[in-house]
Amino acid sequence: MAERTVGTTAKNLLLALINATLILVIICLWLAWKVLDAAEGVSAQLNQATEAVLPLREDVAALTAEIAGARSDLAELRSAEGAAAAAGLAERLDRIEAQLEAVTGTIARVQADPDALIDRAMTRAFDELRAIVAELVGLRGRPAGG
């Protein structure tokens, strides 16, 4: 058996330490890349959500004006002879107005607290990252060839 000197052992330990450090750095860089990729995806989703909400505001304003106009027409109908038709129209307008208020409330909540939307998106991104890490750890724990 070959004799090992303290210098050779120290050299081998130093090389092993450098090797392990480089492996950890590579893993950290890969995880950082995945996190940034997930954050980019969240940012894109937030942009899409914002683009979807802004036209809704204009649509809600237009629907509100339409309902106001329909209510004035309904008042004219009530003063005339079509009381039964006016009652049916009033019920339809009430249902539309309730739906419109629900949409307006949703838009107002998103505008008042965009952090909730961001929190949801970040939670989703970190869940995806957690799944990636769990898969990586699962692959690492499997025996070779299986």
Side-chain angles (χ1 to χ4, degrees), residues 38-91:
E40 185 178 328
V42 168
S43 176
Q45 289 173 351
L46 286 175
N47 285 339
Q48 289 175 349
T50 302
E51 290 172 1
V53 168
L54 292 178
L56 284 176
R57 287 183 67 191
E58 297 169 1
D59 292 343
V60 167
L63 282 173
T64 304
E66 290 253 351
I67 289 175
R71 291 239 180 243
S72 67
D73 292 346
L74 180 62
E76 289 175 15
L77 275 176
R78 283 187 180 162
S79 65
E81 304 151 4
L89 183 59
E91 289 176 19

Side-chain angles (χ1 to χ4, degrees), residues 11-138:
K11 178 182 152 194
N12 287 339
L13 285 174
L14 182 63
L15 287 174
L17 179 66
I18 291 171
N19 196 11
T21 304
L22 288 176
I23 290 171
L24 286 175
V25 167
I26 289 170
I27 290 172
C28 289
L29 287 174
W30 182 79
L31 286 174
W33 176 51
K34 286 297 189 181
V35 167
L36 291 176
D37 191 36
E40 185 178 328
V42 168
S43 176
Q45 289 173 351
L46 286 175
N47 285 339
Q48 289 175 349
T50 302
E51 290 172 1
V53 168
L54 292 178
L56 284 176
R57 287 183 67 191
E58 297 169 1
D59 292 343
V60 167
L63 282 173
T64 304
E66 290 253 351
I67 289 175
R71 291 239 180 243
S72 67
D73 292 346
L74 180 62
E76 289 175 15
L77 275 176
R78 283 187 180 162
S79 65
E81 304 151 4
L89 183 59
E91 289 176 19
R92 281 184 32 201
L93 283 175
D94 288 339
R95 283 193 306 268
I96 292 171
E97 195 169 27
Q99 291 172 347
L100 182 62
E101 286 175 10
V103 170
T104 303
T106 302
I107 291 172
R109 281 194 306 274
V110 169
Q111 283 180 333
D113 191 16
D115 291 338
L117 183 62
I118 293 169
D119 287 342
R120 242 187 336 204
M122 290 303 291
T123 301
R124 183 174 174 200
F126 281 111
D127 286 345
E128 290 176 14
L129 180 63
R130 188 178 306 123
I132 290 170
V133 171
E135 182 180 326
L136 179 68
V137 170

